[in-house]
Amino acid sequence: MNKLKFIRELVKKEAKDHDWQYHILPVVVYAKKLAKIYKVDQELAELAALLHDIGRIRHGDLDHNLTGMIDAEKILKDNQYPDKMINQIKQSIKLHRASQHVRPKTILDKIIANADAMAHFDILPLFFYWRAKKHEFPKILEWMQEKINRDWNKKLSLPAAKKIIKPKYQAIKLILKACKQWE
Ligand SMILES: [Fe+2]
Ligand SMILES: [Fe+2]
């Protein structure tokens, strides 16, 4: 098995079903799409996308960009990836969260942050399902609104990513507005 395939299988095995299928996999697909547009190496983009949430998968949400850097480094080193690639991937993992004050710097950082946000727009009903277990309906609506606006305004920095997501952003906004009128 080649090393990229090995890492793909490793993440697939460790991520819970819904996380792989509805988050990691879409992030990989979007990252590769953006990498093609912005002329970034496909394997580099796929590895960064596969590993961007490894910290969350293994250790929980808190500071998962930082815990993820450490785990990603080990996984990539074990698979004999060159240091330059490892460092680029580590930085993109560190900077993938819009909630952090540091902004993505390189094109790879931006691709991962953008692909991460793009994936959210495809699984909104699933987010709804997860959140509904913990919150009242108006709170869920507020959270969804906050989430899509943060993704749209802060994470989607690449024009190509914004163009792909725009119809979904507008549709979601319209639906949220429709829901809110009954409050
Ligand atoms: Fe994350
Ligand atoms: Fe993510």
Side-chain angles (χ1 to χ4, degrees):
M1 198 190 302
N2 79 32
K3 50 192 183 177
L4 175 60
K5 202 167 169 219
F6 174 82
I7 292 174
R8 204 184 286 143
E9 290 303 313
L10 180 123
V11 178
K12 189 177 175 182
K13 208 169 73 196
E14 291 195 27
K16 301 244 165 54
D17 267 357
H18 60 76
D19 208 8
W20 170 258
Q21 186 184 349
Y22 294 108
H23 185 62
I24 309 297
L25 193 56
V27 175
V28 168
V29 172
Y30 281 128
K32 288 177 80 175
K33 198 171 191 166
L34 293 173
K36 207 167 185 180
I37 296 169
Y38 292 100
K39 301 193 175 28
V40 166
D41 181 67
Q42 288 283 301
E43 186 168 359
L44 182 70
E46 175 162 359
L47 284 168
L50 281 170
L51 294 170
H52 85 281
D53 271 339
I54 192 72
R56 180 173 60 70
I57 290 165
R58 289 183 170 177
H59 314 285
D61 200 47
L62 184 74
D63 290 336
H64 74 269
N65 52 326
L66 305 178
T67 57
M69 279 171 78
I70 300 166
D71 286 42
E73 179 170 21
K74 188 168 180 342
I75 292 166
L76 294 165
K77 272 212 160 98
D78 288 349
N79 284 279
Q80 277 93 44
Y81 276 103
D83 285 350
K84 193 182 166 201
M85 254 177 122
I86 296 177
N87 290 334
Q88 285 173 301
I89 292 167
K90 275 171 68 187
Q91 178 171 302
S92 71
I93 294 173
K94 185 182 176 189
L95 304 179
H96 86 270
R97 303 176 77 185
S99 51
Q100 308 288 305
H101 294 299
V102 270
R103 306 286 296 152
K105 292 186 183 107
T106 64
I107 185 69
L108 180 69
D109 302 343
K110 286 180 189 156
I111 284 173
I112 298 308
N114 277 257
D116 192 26
M118 289 168 89
H120 292 154
F121 287 84
D122 289 343
I123 60 151
L124 214 67
L126 196 64
F127 264 140
F128 196 165
Y129 166 75
W130 285 336
R131 288 278 156 162
K133 288 189 282 193
K134 296 184 215 151
H135 296 292
E136 298 290 318
F137 187 68
K139 268 235 154 308
I140 298 165
L141 284 181
E142 213 176 281
W143 179 85
M144 283 165 81
Q145 197 144 30
E146 208 266 326
K147 183 95 182 158
I148 63 153
N149 283 332
R150 182 151 56 96
D151 282 336
W152 180 257
N153 295 316
K154 288 183 81 180
K155 286 187 83 167
L156 287 169
S157 60
L158 295 171
K162 262 199 146 116
K163 196 174 164 201
I164 294 168
I165 294 305
K166 195 171 182 182
K168 291 174 198 167
Y169 174 66
Q170 286 174 332
I172 291 166
K173 263 182 74 149
L174 193 67
I175 289 169
L176 288 176
K177 202 174 152 197
C179 290
K180 275 190 153 309
Q181 73 182 311
W182 308 108
E183 279 180 0

